Amino acid sequence: MHDAVNRKSVGLALGGGVARGLAHIGVLAALEESDIPVDYVSGTSMGALVGAAYCAGIEIPELLEIASTAGWRHISSLSWPHQGLLSFQKMEEWIINRVGDIDVRDLETPFAAMATDIETGERLMLSEGPVAKVVRISCSVPGVVAPVQYHGRLLCDGGISDNLPDDAARELGADYVIGVDVFAPVYRSFLGPLGVAMAAVETLVQNAGGGMQSADCVIIPDLVGKSYLRLSKYEELIEAGRKATEETIPTIKDDLAEPSITTL
């Protein structure tokens, strides 16, 4: 626990955005380089994948190496299209090979991934259970990736109910929450009615769960026009995350310099 004499505890909420979520690596790198502590991490979809790896103790150079070598073939496979076109079973195996077959509660940094019960629409904060399973669930985009049966529930991507889990970071115990929004909706006028529909869906997902209302500070990398699917653009995405964070560091440091009101 942090008292009035000690610094505020910092929570990092990493939003969903498929391949755009690689920008979170740049965010983490910039925070580390600026000596900004991260005491808690919550993540949705790709934010859960990057966040869990970081909380497992994988350092930035290795995260960069993973981003440069990993592709969809490592984490997905075609599925009989009963509940999804793809399966992320391979993702579970890939995560276990990277961090081990461990429970979320055994991670070096407290972590939670967001999920959605596709049958009830309920938002779920998964702060225990097998890391590989929990991350797979949070990444399983409904309609594309098959949902996962887990403890009697049919669970899928947390982005449906809470795409930027700043509230979850606070639930974990953070005094100060930094949210990272990588969704960046944009209206593509050249697509006509489809462009309008896409912008509407992106806006709905961005604001799922209340958007960024619970964050004390929000980092928004410039990802307008960036693909949600092209993992090969990892360098551009990571650099966008780093640049946006560097621009926000002075604000974060000023906020953290203010005394905490927590007394117990």
Side-chain angles (χ1 to χ4, degrees):
M1 290 290 201
H2 296 257
D3 58 30
V5 176
N6 297 323
R7 66 169 177 82
K8 299 173 184 177
S9 60
V10 178
L12 187 61
L14 304 178
V18 201
R20 290 181 178 185
L22 292 174
H24 294 314
I25 298 174
V27 172
L28 288 164
L31 291 175
E32 275 199 2
E33 290 164 7
S34 299
D35 295 321
I36 303 295
V38 175
D39 302 295
Y40 305 95
V41 177
S42 58
T44 295
S45 197
M46 183 64 87
L49 179 56
V50 173
Y54 184 77
C55 290
I58 294 181
E59 298 184 352
I60 299 300
E62 187 174 353
L63 287 177
L64 293 171
E65 183 272 330
I66 291 172
S68 70
T69 58
W72 292 114
R73 69 185 185 281
H74 297 108
I75 60 175
S76 65
S77 59
L78 291 175
S79 174
W80 184 257
H82 173 57
Q83 294 179 316
L85 301 175
L86 300 174
S87 168
F88 273 173
Q89 176 62 46
K90 287 175 68 175
M91 177 184 285
E92 279 195 57
E93 300 162 5
W94 184 80
I95 293 171
I96 290 171
N97 288 335
R98 289 288 183 174
V99 305
D101 191 7
I102 60 175
D103 192 279
V104 173
R105 292 168 293 185
D106 296 325
L107 292 171
E108 295 181 11
T109 301
F111 170 78
M114 306 314 297
T116 305
D117 185 320
I118 196 62
E119 296 177 307
T120 67
E122 183 180 354
R123 162 197 179 274
L124 298 173
M125 176 177 159
L126 304 179
S127 55
E128 59 181 69
V131 170
K133 180 77 71 178
V134 162
V135 171
R136 174 190 175 184
I137 289 169
S138 189
C139 291
S140 296
V141 180
V144 178
V145 182
V148 180
Q149 283 284 351
Y150 188 65
H151 293 320
R153 291 174 177 262
L154 190 61
L155 304 184
C156 68
D157 196 323
I160 306 304
S161 57
D162 196 352
N163 196 56
L164 182 59
D166 44 9
D167 47 356
R170 205 172 298 281
E171 288 179 54
L172 285 172
D175 299 318
Y176 183 85
V177 176
I178 302 169
V180 186
D181 181 7
V182 296
F183 218 75
V186 61
Y187 169 46
R188 303 164 181 84
S189 59
F190 62 90
L191 292 177
L194 179 60
V196 175
M198 288 176 63
V201 170
E202 286 179 325
T203 301
L204 285 170
V205 173
Q206 184 186 43
N207 289 284
M212 48 192 88
Q213 295 179 4
S214 297
D216 296 290
C217 173
V218 180
I219 296 170
I220 306 177
D222 182 6
L223 300 174
V224 173
K226 302 295 185 185
S227 171
Y228 289 105
L229 300 176
R230 297 182 67 181
L231 296 174
S232 61
K233 296 295 184 179
Y234 67 93
E235 290 180 318
E236 295 177 14
L237 298 167
I238 291 170
E239 181 57 31
R242 178 190 291 275
K243 184 174 185 295
T245 305
E246 290 173 346
E247 292 171 353
T248 315
I249 289 295
T251 298
I252 295 173
K253 287 190 171 182
D254 285 347
D255 290 346
L256 294 180
E258 296 176 1
S260 173
I261 60 173
T262 306
T263 57
L264 292 176

